């Protein structure tokens, strides 16, 4: 079931809500520059196990409205809060991938973890910023040849071999974003970080990270693990930046086990 939630005047966020009567709720926050469909191989399995799976598209991405502004971490966390408040979610698990992990961390700090009983960080963009050199290269490529940038990103995203059709599917997810929002979020990744937010997280936290991640190196996950009090780090031995795809069976089982 898909619908829209108004997060501020003139800006609607797309929400996918699968198995609304499920016993436990998981809210998925996608990564840059993708959308909620990156979690297809969770949605195939977890709702059938009794979970309610909700996923949003950030502003500027997927099916959501694409305003010219509002791409800093605070505003993106505010959008998540607007969805949570509108849907009246309570005692749910928040699961964020990559930049979605940073947004989830900012939400936990900014809203004192309102409604969240457990947190899952998947190859999260934490605790530090993307280096200026790397970020500026992504921004320049986005504003000059975004399809080429997306192809290059696909090449570094995965550790395991992926088929050309899966690569094309992944590429199309990125194309559904606006160019300006793709660049703007990378500017936020360059200019902001969540280091000071991590100590404010109080809920049990599962950190999943591919040891071959070239986008957010594994040592960043180890640092995040040290900075979040009640957290456990599970390395994924055969994954790069996408354990939810590369080791999907292990990933889905671990989520179910952690949530209970």
């Amino acid at each position: 079931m898909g619908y829209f939630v108004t997060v501020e005047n003139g800006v609607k966020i797309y929400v996918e809500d699968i198995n609304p009567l499920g016993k436990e709720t998981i809210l998925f926050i996608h990564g840059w520059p993708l959308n909620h469909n990156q979690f297809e191989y969770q949605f195939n399995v977890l709702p059938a196990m009794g979970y309610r799976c909700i996923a949003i598209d950030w502003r500027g991405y997927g099916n959501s409205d694409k305003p010219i502004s509002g791409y800093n971490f605070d505003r993106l966390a505010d959008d998540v809060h607007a969805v949570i408040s509108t849907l009246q979610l309570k005692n749910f698990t928040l699961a964020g991938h990559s930049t979605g992990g940073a947004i989830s961390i900012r939400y936990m700090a900014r809203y004192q973890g309102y409604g969240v009983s457990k947190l899952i960080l998947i190859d999260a963009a934490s605790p530090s910023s993307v280096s200026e050199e790397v970020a500026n290269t992504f921004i320049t490529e986005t504003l000059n040849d975004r399809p080429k940038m997306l192809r290059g990103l696909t090449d570094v995203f995965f550790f395991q071999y992926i088929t050309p059709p899966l690569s094309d599917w992944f590429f199309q997810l990125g194309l559904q974003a606006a160019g300006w929002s793709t660049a703007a979020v990378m500017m936020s990744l360059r200019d902001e970080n969540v280091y000071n937010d991590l100590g404010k997280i109080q809920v049990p936290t599962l950190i999943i990270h591919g040891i071959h991640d070239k986008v957010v190196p594994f040592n960043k996950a180890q640092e995040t693990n040290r900075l979040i009090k009640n957290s456990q780090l599970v390395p994924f031995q055969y994954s790069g930046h996408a354990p939810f795809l590369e080791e999907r069976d292990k990933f889905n089982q671990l989520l179910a086990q952690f949530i209970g």
Side-chain angles (χ1 to χ4, degrees):
M1 176 167 65
Y3 47 81
F4 290 89
V5 169
T6 300
V7 295
E8 67 174 343
N9 192 26
V11 181
K12 295 190 296 298
I13 293 290
Y14 180 76
V15 178
E16 190 74 50
D17 191 347
I18 308 162
N19 191 25
L21 300 178
K23 55 178 182 175
E24 298 280 351
T25 299
I26 312 167
L27 174 60
F28 290 91
I29 312 294
H30 67 80
W32 181 90
L34 307 169
N35 59 56
H36 78 276
N37 286 303
Q38 74 171 72
F39 295 112
E40 174 175 336
Y41 297 93
Q42 284 61 62
F43 303 153
N44 287 346
V45 173
L46 294 171
M49 295 170 66
Y51 296 98
R52 180 186 186 187
C53 291
I54 303 173
I56 68 168
D57 290 341
W58 312 339
R59 64 171 61 211
Y61 294 75
N63 297 323
S64 290
D65 286 346
K66 298 174 174 63
I68 201 65
S69 62
Y71 297 102
N72 57 71
F73 287 175
D74 281 355
R75 180 63 250 187
L76 293 167
D78 291 347
D79 290 349
V80 172
H81 179 255
V83 171
I84 289 165
S85 299
T86 300
L87 300 186
Q88 299 182 326
L89 300 181
K90 304 229 174 10
N91 297 318
F92 67 94
T93 298
L94 182 61
H97 169 247
S98 192
T99 306
I103 295 166
S104 299
I105 291 165
R106 177 58 53 86
Y107 172 82
M108 296 300 292
R110 192 164 165 82
Y111 290 98
Q112 295 80 51
Y114 174 78
V116 178
S117 58
K118 292 181 179 177
L119 177 66
I120 300 173
L121 299 175
I122 309 148
D123 293 75
S126 167
S128 51
S129 309
V130 174
S131 76
E132 191 170 346
E133 182 185 4
V134 169
N136 287 344
T137 299
F138 274 124
I139 292 162
T140 300
E141 290 182 354
T142 295
L143 297 175
N144 287 281
D145 190 343
R146 188 163 63 103
K148 179 174 176 287
M149 182 279 289
L150 291 169
R151 280 290 182 213
L153 182 65
T154 305
D155 291 341
V156 298
F157 221 85
F158 299 95
F159 168 67
Q160 293 192 36
Y161 168 79
I162 61 168
T163 63
L166 183 64
S167 176
D168 288 344
W169 168 77
F170 190 80
F171 173 72
Q172 292 295 332
L173 296 184
L175 282 180
Q176 289 170 37
W180 60 87
S181 54
T182 302
V185 169
M186 184 51 66
M187 290 174 196
S188 295
L189 285 164
R190 177 194 67 194
D191 299 340
E192 300 188 56
N193 66 68
V194 295
Y195 186 92
N196 291 328
D197 299 317
L198 296 171
K200 300 173 184 173
I201 295 172
Q202 305 293 332
V203 301
T205 301
L206 173 65
I207 301 168
I208 293 171
H209 213 99
I211 65 168
H212 304 284
D213 193 336
K214 293 178 184 171
V215 181
V216 181
F218 185 74
N219 64 351
K220 301 287 188 188
Q222 293 172 310
E223 197 177 346
T224 298
N225 181 210
R226 284 195 298 272
L227 291 165
I228 298 178
K229 285 193 289 262
N230 192 9
S231 66
Q232 63 176 118
L233 170 59
V234 178
F236 271 55
Q237 304 293 335
Y238 306 104
S239 291
H241 196 55
F244 54 93
L245 279 171
E246 297 183 271
E247 295 182 77
R248 62 195 63 166
D249 291 342
K250 177 182 176 181
F251 181 92
N252 293 339
Q253 287 165 10
L254 186 60
L255 258 63
Q257 181 186 330
F258 176 69
I259 296 165

